[in-house]
Amino acid sequence: MKEVILLKNGEIALKGLNRHAFEDRLIKNARRKLMPVGEFHFKKAQSTIYVEPQSDDYDLDEAVDRLQKVFGIAALPRACVVEKDFELICRTAAEYLKEELEDAATFKVEAKRSDKSFPMKSPEICAGVGEYLLEQYPHLQVDVHQPDVVVMVEVRDYAAYIHGSQIKGAGGIPVGSGGKAMLLISDSPVAGYMMAKRGLEISAIHFVSPPYTSERAKQKVIDLAQKMCSYCGRIKLHIVPFTEIQEAIRDQCPEDLFTIIMRRYMMKIACRVARLNECEALITGESVGQVASQTLQSLAATNEVCTLPVYRPVIGFDKQEIVERSWEIGTYETSIQPFEDCCTIFVAKHPVTKPNIDVIRRSEENLNEKIDELMETALNTTEIIEIQ
């Protein structure tokens, strides 16, 4: 039997005249994802992309697993391809879906007939295939509301496609169709995942403060970026040395403002790095009220220094919701590794939760021109790692 994978586009189908650009981007991302698995041909028609193996040395199970992590795909059933002959369709459905039907108690048949020259209409196809399957599997009963198995017959222009229950895809729109943004990755990989799902190509930035932070902490972030690549594609990770800037803030600014001033300089540097990489926004993992630097007043204070828009996709999530999403995307176990990061250094005993921007500005005047030199040094010594 000849098998293909059918990629169902979901919301891409609603893109009107721009739909083809989204489909082309999706095909490009899917083709790159399948390169280690084998050679595949991609064909698009009627809000579906057909993925056909071109050689015998392929693993369709692995191909499906990989495609489940490609944004832009709503569902991806494996389907058997047959000629548009009704008796052949019935026999193939019974044989191809044998394992699913033997394990089920109820089923229903759905049909789509885009080829209007086919002599049977969709309700007739459903009734005929259903009758045949009941003869072959007498233990089954028809349940049109909540069946164990949905047998799908799609009669299209060149062939008929038969498949069972659809495999859920990652949804969203293809990565790269919505521009580029810079993720503060240690904030929240979940935030980067959520914005990649909306089509953004992700670059990432991380701040290190040796000797206060270790190589293991840096490796943790690299590991997180590698896990994100399953969904986001290739990521350019920027490792920014931040020690001297933190020490200057510690020495020259009030202790209770340390965290918020540190955050402001992180955002300043992130904006600079983002512009150098043609990114049009920053992405952070801030959640309102979760820590002292994430109150409305603190967020306003960090926003003030940003020269790019800041996307905060988990702003209304609580901690448990973020944890659950990190489990889903496979980053949780890495995220909880107990290695220090620069945000845990020199933490004030009583950080201000409602900072006054005028007070912050006056405090930052103590840093004088030295802080600009330190920022330039940090930018010039940033390490760039290509992750894929």
Side-chain angles (χ1 to χ4, degrees), residues 85-94 101 107-111 118 120-137 142 151-153 155 162:
D85 176 83
F86 181 70
E87 291 186 3
L88 180 58
I89 289 171
C90 289
R91 292 198 304 270
T92 303
L101 293 170
F107 82 108
K108 75 171 180 178
V109 180
E110 293 183 356
F118 190 74
M120 300 175 68
K121 296 182 179 180
S122 295
E124 295 173 320
I125 297 172
C126 291
V129 173
E131 181 179 0
Y132 183 86
L133 293 177
L134 285 171
E135 292 175 356
Q136 302 300 310
Y137 301 96
V142 175
V151 177
M152 189 72 201
V153 179
V155 181
I162 300 163

Side-chain angles (χ1 to χ4, degrees), residues 129-328:
V129 173
E131 181 179 0
Y132 183 86
L133 293 177
L134 285 171
E135 292 175 356
Q136 302 300 310
Y137 301 96
H139 72 284
L140 287 174
Q141 291 184 335
V142 175
D143 182 346
V144 297
H145 300 294
Q146 292 183 316
D148 296 329
V149 176
V150 176
V151 177
M152 189 72 201
V153 179
E154 302 186 33
V155 181
R156 295 182 175 260
D157 291 340
Y158 302 106
Y161 299 84
I162 300 163
H163 60 83
S165 301
Q166 299 196 36
I167 302 168
K168 186 178 180 181
I173 55 180
V175 170
S177 61
K180 295 175 63 175
M182 181 69 66
L183 168 69
L184 278 72
I185 189 168
S186 58
D187 266 15
S188 173
V190 170
Y193 163 90
M194 293 177 67
M195 295 310 300
K197 189 173 183 177
R198 301 314 306 159
L200 296 191
E201 181 181 340
I202 303 296
S203 292
I205 188 168
H206 178 62
F207 297 88
V208 294
S209 295
Y212 305 106
T213 59
S214 65
E215 282 296 314
R216 291 185 301 176
K218 173 182 169 182
Q219 185 60 48
K220 169 183 170 179
V221 171
I222 295 173
D223 293 343
L224 285 173
Q226 288 174 331
K227 290 183 179 296
M228 288 183 63
C229 283
S230 298
Y231 294 94
C232 304
R234 291 173 291 191
I235 294 176
K236 184 185 289 188
L237 174 62
H238 301 77
I239 307 292
V240 181
F242 203 56
T243 308
E244 293 184 344
I245 293 174
Q246 283 190 290
E247 289 176 336
I249 297 170
R250 176 199 61 187
D251 296 340
Q252 302 296 327
C253 298
E255 182 189 24
D256 62 344
L257 293 178
F258 173 81
T259 300
I260 192 67
I261 292 176
M262 175 192 70
R263 186 73 178 178
R264 280 162 64 91
Y265 278 96
M266 283 182 172
M267 300 295 267
K268 285 182 179 182
I269 292 172
C271 284
R272 292 275 300 276
V273 175
R275 289 189 180 280
L276 290 171
N277 286 271
E278 299 181 337
C279 294
E280 300 164 282
L282 300 184
I283 303 170
T284 72
E286 292 152 319
S287 171
V288 169
Q290 195 168 103
V291 295
S293 63
Q294 294 176 18
T295 63
L296 289 182
Q297 293 87 347
S298 296
L299 294 175
T302 54
N303 273 358
E304 189 205 26
V305 301
C306 294
T307 57
L308 290 172
V310 182
Y311 296 150
R312 297 180 170 95
V314 299
I315 193 74
F317 282 24
D318 62 28
K319 184 70 173 179
Q320 186 58 35
E321 289 172 309
I322 297 173
V323 167
E324 289 171 358
R325 188 64 62 88
S326 68
W327 268 113
E328 292 174 10

